[in-house]
Amino acid sequence: MENLNEKCAIFGVYGKGIDVARLTFFGLFALQHRGQESSGIAVADGSDIKRHKDHGLVAQVFTEEAIDSLKGHIAIGHNRYSTSKGSGTEHIQPMVVGNGALAFAHNGNLPSTRALEEFLQGKVENTAGLSDSCLMAHAIHWYMEQGKALPDAVTAAYPLFTGAFSIVAMTKDTLVAARDPKGIRPLSLARLNGGFVVSSETCAFSTIDAKFVREILPGEMVTIDESGLSEKQIAEGEQKLDIFEFIYFARHDSELMGKSVYEVRKNFGKTLAREYPIDADVVVGVPETSLPCALGYAEQSGIPYEMGLNKNRYIQRTFIQPDQKLRDKSVKMKLTPIPGVLKGKRVVVIDDSIVRGTTSKPIIDLLFEAGATEVHFLVSSPPIRFPDFYGIDTPAQDSLIAYGKTVEEMRAAIGATSLHFLSLEGMLRSTGLPKESFSTSCFTGEYPVDLKERYDEINYPSDVSISSTSPKQMEPG
Ligand code: AMP
């Protein structure tokens, strides 16, 4: 089964008298960072479901005409992240199944779909090649065919969903939103003009002037229909938000578990400065995610923060593959140095993560080419040694640069003067939240949702410690 749902965004709205398709467009536009491969909106008007979807960025997929054709009072939308696998149009969400009876969109990933496939055997013609999201939609629809209303159908199918999921589902007259029992992917609820909105991230609420109400809880489902909002805990919840939402994935202006993503990233930088004080002249962040971390490092260390790297703000996914020569330059298409900031300087550069290690070396080369005398590469998360199965798209374990390598070996591979990673404890402490409320699987190999047959894909190295350069003792706070 291919992982087709990495790094996605979901959005839903219920409201009479609201132009729900237009609103969903702006919601998805605000959530563009969670997925750039394709986008779709489905709208229900009480008697029918209509949908528009295509490959491309939100602003490319929807024209004024497309939005105008989607009339109704309920909408769900989805942005999908680019992946080399399964890019066919049939995988673009929202899915619509049962001849327009159900629309469904999913953020997350089910590492094991065995239970779903077994359940659907004999009920759906052929499950081979169906994505996990499609299987989920079929399972819900099967229960609807047995006479269950949408909320009851979701409740009945829920135990078959073994993995990470935040979902929105819609019939012609009802909207449902739910989160997996560990709340691995985020999902929040807001009010708007007498109606309700749900969104992967709170940043979308600011765009559309919706008033944040609360996060949907792990294991909870909310239903919105003619009679208003109803809430139901369908499974016991235990919050295990993927810490990667704070590290890389969420937008700075979102809030997760009551914490500003911006503030937490700044704290990551401050903690890095306490763990790894470095004699340097300037602190630089790799745009965009790491900029608050660099600010935090600068504030804590007293070393001036400068914009040493400029990001081309029009960089976006194109569907034209660059040739090899251009691909080698792809970092330069995105990032260029500001030589005046770097020439003759000892530079601390901060990035949020190292995954394959393919971008770190060209960034370090850029900084040296621009005249830096030392480049200390600091990472605001620990080494990623384990693959992700819950929807963040970190690759197979042997493609991870930190797998089986010491920090010194990694430093040599990327050509930095020194390389340091934020400690696991320091990272968790910087969130200001209990450490038990996070999934840290890609750093620790501890997976809060059973991976079943997928455990075979993981090696637990015994010979490599998490960090070969020990951080300084943390100060409290
Ligand atoms: P790599 O070059 O593979 O080591 O990737 C690390 C860079 O990609 C960092 O600059 C991150 O900001 C960014 N990054 C981290 N996680 C992801 C992800 N899941 N998808 C895309 N980019 C990512």
Side-chain angles (χ1 to χ4, degrees):
M1 182 58 55
E2 293 172 342
N3 298 338
L4 298 171
N5 308 293
E6 292 95 347
K7 287 189 62 187
C8 300
I10 57 170
F11 188 88
V13 53
Y14 186 107
K16 299 226 159 117
I18 296 174
D19 185 350
V20 290
R22 194 168 298 270
L23 198 92
T24 303
F25 169 87
F26 286 110
L28 292 178
F29 193 66
L31 297 170
Q32 185 74 82
H33 60 289
R34 294 183 76 89
Q36 300 92 44
E37 187 193 80
S38 59
S39 188
I41 297 176
V43 169
D45 62 2
S47 54
D48 227 350
I49 289 180
K50 288 199 179 65
R51 175 186 58 183
H52 180 83
K53 60 172 193 168
D54 211 340
H55 289 291
L57 298 169
V58 178
Q60 295 165 336
V61 169
F62 295 99
T63 56
E64 192 66 45
E65 208 184 346
I67 296 288
D68 278 344
S69 71
L70 298 171
K71 294 279 179 240
H73 64 285
I74 321 176
I76 62 171
H78 187 267
N79 289 337
R80 197 173 145 218
Y81 176 62
S82 62
T83 145
S84 53
K85 296 180 269 178
S87 54
T89 326
E90 72 277 15
H91 298 305
I92 303 179
Q93 299 192 34
M95 317 257 157
V96 175
V97 297
N99 284 326
L102 172 73
F104 176 86
H106 168 212
N107 170 212
N109 185 50
L110 307 188
S112 171
T113 49
R114 204 177 266 172
L116 263 172
E117 281 173 272
E118 279 169 14
F119 172 79
L120 287 171
Q121 221 150 59
K123 300 187 175 85
V124 169
E125 232 170 70
N126 185 7
T127 56
L130 296 185
S131 67
D132 54 355
S133 310
C134 206
L135 295 170
M136 292 164 93
H138 278 296
I140 296 169
H141 179 247
W142 186 83
Y143 279 112
M144 286 167 58
E145 274 184 322
Q146 310 311 302
K148 288 191 189 295
L150 178 64
D152 298 331
V154 171
T155 308
Y158 192 92
L160 299 165
F161 306 162
T162 49
F165 57 92
S166 283
I167 56 171
V168 280
M170 174 182 81
T171 59
K172 60 184 170 43
D173 52 20
T174 304
L175 174 68
V176 156
R179 255 175 119 189
D180 69 66
K182 305 288 178 188
I184 291 176
R185 302 265 73 92
L187 190 61
S188 284
L189 175 73
R191 277 183 188 279
L192 179 81
N193 301 341
F196 288 95
V197 184
V198 289
S199 169
S200 289
E201 280 182 51
T202 60
C203 63
F205 298 148
S206 320
T207 306
I208 57 169
D209 281 333
K211 196 170 172 334
F212 172 74
V213 176
R214 63 177 181 85
E215 292 191 349
I216 293 169
L217 300 173
E220 189 192 18
M221 171 179 72
V222 300
T223 301
I224 306 152
D225 60 15
E226 192 124 67
S227 48
L229 175 88
S230 54
E231 301 148 344
K232 183 180 175 191
Q233 193 67 37
I234 40 180
E236 198 183 327
E238 183 198 14
Q239 181 67 76
K240 292 277 179 192
L241 181 77
D242 188 341
I243 188 81
F244 227 75
E245 292 281 347
F246 274 118
I247 296 167
Y248 168 75
F249 203 13
R251 228 168 75 165
H252 300 320
D253 55 335
S254 284
E255 278 197 7
L256 296 167
M257 297 169 70
K259 297 284 177 189
S260 147
V261 171
Y262 174 80
E263 290 297 336
V264 169
R265 287 183 182 154
K266 215 169 156 194
N267 288 343
F268 288 160
K270 288 183 184 175
T271 309
L272 257 179
R274 289 192 202 105
E275 292 186 348
Y276 302 106
I278 286 172
D279 222 359
D281 305 309
V282 64
V283 180
V284 163
V286 178
E288 314 284 336
T289 326
S290 313
L291 297 182
C293 307
L295 278 171
Y297 191 99
E299 203 173 293
Q300 181 67 33
S301 64
I303 304 170
Y305 167 85
E306 292 277 6
M307 263 201 53
L309 287 166
N310 187 63
K311 183 175 171 191
N312 183 335
R313 73 180 62 171
Y314 299 102
I315 195 87
Q316 51 178 235
R317 184 181 159 82
T318 82
F319 292 93
I320 303 156
Q321 285 295 322
D323 65 14
Q324 191 54 43
K325 225 165 114 201
L326 267 181
R327 200 171 293 145
D328 293 342
K329 283 197 189 318
S330 64
V331 165
K332 284 190 176 159
M333 284 166 65
K334 189 171 160 185
L335 294 174
T336 41
I338 300 178
V341 169
L342 304 161
K343 203 167 170 4
K345 302 276 173 57
R346 296 166 302 168
V347 178
V348 165
V349 60
I350 304 194
D351 204 354
D352 58 85
S353 55
I354 300 187
V355 184
R356 294 176 183 82
T358 44
T359 52
S360 331
K361 182 165 180 4
I363 289 171
I364 291 161
D365 290 349
L366 273 184
L367 298 171
F368 276 127
E369 279 167 29
T373 55
E374 293 175 9
V375 177
H376 301 273
F377 202 83
L378 271 63
V379 185
S380 57
S381 59
I384 298 176
R385 296 219 154 91
F386 297 92
D388 171 73
F389 293 92
Y390 301 145
I392 282 282
D393 192 31
T394 47
Q397 198 171 14
D398 55 7
S399 315
L400 300 167
I401 188 176
Y403 173 61
K405 277 201 179 69
T406 62
V407 173
E408 171 51 26
E409 284 165 342
M410 282 188 263
R411 185 208 60 76
I414 64 175
T417 310
S418 72
L419 170 67
H420 304 284
F421 290 86
L422 184 60
S423 68
L424 184 69
E425 304 69 34
M427 173 181 73
L428 290 166
R429 181 136 35 130
S430 304
T431 64
L433 292 163
K435 63 176 194 290
E436 304 73 32
S437 27
F438 292 104
S439 165
T440 55
S441 55
C442 45
F443 308 113
T444 57
E446 287 162 24
Y447 293 90
V449 179
D450 193 350
L451 298 182
K452 309 219 171 188
E453 66 275 15
R454 304 293 295 273
Y455 275 117
D456 296 348
E457 296 168 36
I458 307 169
N459 279 314
Y460 287 90
S462 53
D463 51 332
V464 181
S465 64
I466 287 291
S467 171
S468 69
T469 56
S470 8
K472 287 193 110 193
Q473 200 60 39
M474 282 261 301
E475 293 161 25

